[in-house]
Amino acid sequence: MRPPSEEETRSWAVLSPVLRRRAVDRVVLLRRWWGERDGLTAKEAAAIAGVIPNRFYQMASAWKRAPGLAAVGAFAGTPAPRPPRIHPIVNASLQANVVRVVAEGGGKSVEAMRRRLEELVAADLRDRPSTAVDGSVAELAVPSPTILRAVVTRELNRVGEAQLLGESIAMDCCPTTMRSPEGIPWALFAIIDRGTLRILGTSVGSLDESVEGYSLAARRALVLLAPGAPVMGPWARRTRRVDMVVGEDGPACEALITRYAQVGGAIEFKPVTRPRRFGSLLRRYLGDRMGRVDLRPGWAASPPPPMSDGDETFARWDALARADFEMLEWNRTKVIERAAAGEVRPPDDLVALIRLLVGFGGIDTRGSR
């Protein structure tokens, strides 16, 4: 929470994106260690930092004496050790087959999956000739057991993390059959967790004012994520990406994304702009309806049919109440059945993005969290 020193600025400038992310993760970890620890043990913290417990204690002590980039480890100023080089053909086989091995692995041990991966990669490479790399001939050999185990472990972690709340978020908007007293369809705005299919926040509004619609949905999400609210977790340690379907107010959405890109430690935040985008993410993760809220993506491109006598209409707040009720009912059916090891609280980067969405919409959130 201070300007960087000249030395830190120079060090940061030469870091690769991977090393910058590692540095940021460790800064967040050490701030948590000396702040609201929430039961975090040194062993768990060391695992998050990717070091042994003794090394973590050294980092924590250095941070307490002088918080800064230097305290998170010498890696921040020097290149990380390079792993043994793997031929691109071998690497492609590893990445393709490890997904299959882990998916079929069930409750098998890492070593069993390592052996299975070795078999599949060896079969891929058996009939391939030697290949030139940088002008020299290289044999297409199966990597060592250590590397294979690391590949399996990384995929297991990826799959496990993807099933935790907050790892990947989809934001979408779509016309619904709920109509205003003037006969105009209300659009549903939703913030969806891809891994668990839970909905973090909803609102209703107009596709012409999607920034406002997402801002209202984010305000509802802050209530669900607030301390003291019913536990939704386990949560992922960090959010990997967020995709947002852009409404008809393109310039306002672009300004929002540009503003967020300037935030320190910003996560990947991508706009969805294809022509038939409205409702595409909602239908992928929820289907054609959310309880009594029926989606009508086709009404975004063409006028809805005329209303009939006796058709139900909704004032905006009535539509909001229905959407909120159906969101809570939907979430009750999405129980995380496996014993997942995750965080108690949502990722800080996700909360920061949701706060920005609320503030960008011009809504006063004092007291929300």
Side-chain angles (χ1 to χ4, degrees), residues 164-174 188-202 214 217 221 232 235 239 241-243 245 279-287 290 295 327 330-331 334 350 354:
L164 295 175
L165 270 165
E167 193 271 345
S168 181
I169 302 296
M171 297 168 55
D172 196 2
C173 49
C174 180
L188 174 70
F189 293 82
I191 303 174
I192 308 163
D193 180 76
R194 284 186 168 103
T196 66
L197 301 184
R198 290 187 180 185
I199 306 169
L200 303 184
T202 60
Y214 286 130
M232 294 184 70
W235 290 91
T239 300
R241 67 175 293 167
V242 177
D243 294 289
V245 169
S280 58
L281 300 180
L282 276 161
R283 297 182 78 185
R284 180 184 305 173
Y285 300 113
L286 275 66
M290 181 184 69
L295 304 176
M327 173 189 72
W330 173 272
N331 286 344
K334 302 302 173 185
L350 176 59
I354 290 175

Side-chain angles (χ1 to χ4, degrees), residues 69-83:
L69 191 59
V72 302
F75 75 93
T78 58
R82 291 187 177 182

Side-chain angles (χ1 to χ4, degrees), residues 200-338:
L200 303 184
T202 60
S203 72
V204 298
S206 168
L207 297 180
D208 293 331
E209 297 178 338
S210 68
V211 168
E212 181 196 47
Y214 286 130
S215 182
L216 281 169
R219 186 182 189 183
R220 184 66 179 99
L222 281 183
V223 175
L224 290 180
L225 304 185
V231 177
M232 294 184 70
W235 290 91
R237 183 168 59 92
R238 49 191 272 211
T239 300
R240 177 177 57 88
R241 67 175 293 167
V242 177
D243 294 289
M244 182 183 77
V245 169
V246 172
E248 300 290 4
D249 52 342
C253 292
E254 183 179 350
L256 167 62
I257 293 171
T258 300
R259 165 88 173 275
Y260 178 68
Q262 298 170 353
V263 174
I267 56 183
E268 184 178 3
F269 186 27
K270 296 293 186 182
V272 178
T273 58
R274 57 183 178 270
R276 300 180 66 179
R277 61 191 180 275
F278 298 115
S280 58
L281 300 180
L282 276 161
R283 297 182 78 185
R284 180 184 305 173
Y285 300 113
L286 275 66
D288 293 328
R289 63 178 55 86
M290 181 184 69
R292 294 172 296 162
V293 179
D294 293 304
L295 304 176
R296 290 294 183 268
W299 291 1
S302 59
M307 294 186 66
S308 303
D309 291 340
D311 283 352
E312 188 177 17
T313 60
F314 297 80
R316 186 175 190 182
W317 298 109
D318 291 331
L320 280 167
R322 172 169 286 193
D324 189 67
F325 177 84
E326 295 300 343
M327 173 189 72
L328 296 176
E329 288 298 305
W330 173 272
N331 286 344
R332 288 191 184 98
T333 69
K334 302 302 173 185
V335 178
I336 301 177
E337 296 179 351
R338 65 188 191 90

Side-chain angles (χ1 to χ4, degrees), residues 43-80:
K43 184 176 181 180
E44 292 169 339
I48 293 172
V51 297
I52 62 176
N54 283 345
R55 177 69 185 108
F56 175 74
Y57 280 122
Q58 293 172 356
M59 291 168 54
S61 178
W63 181 268
K64 187 175 183 181
R65 289 194 305 270
L69 191 59
V72 302
F75 75 93
T78 58

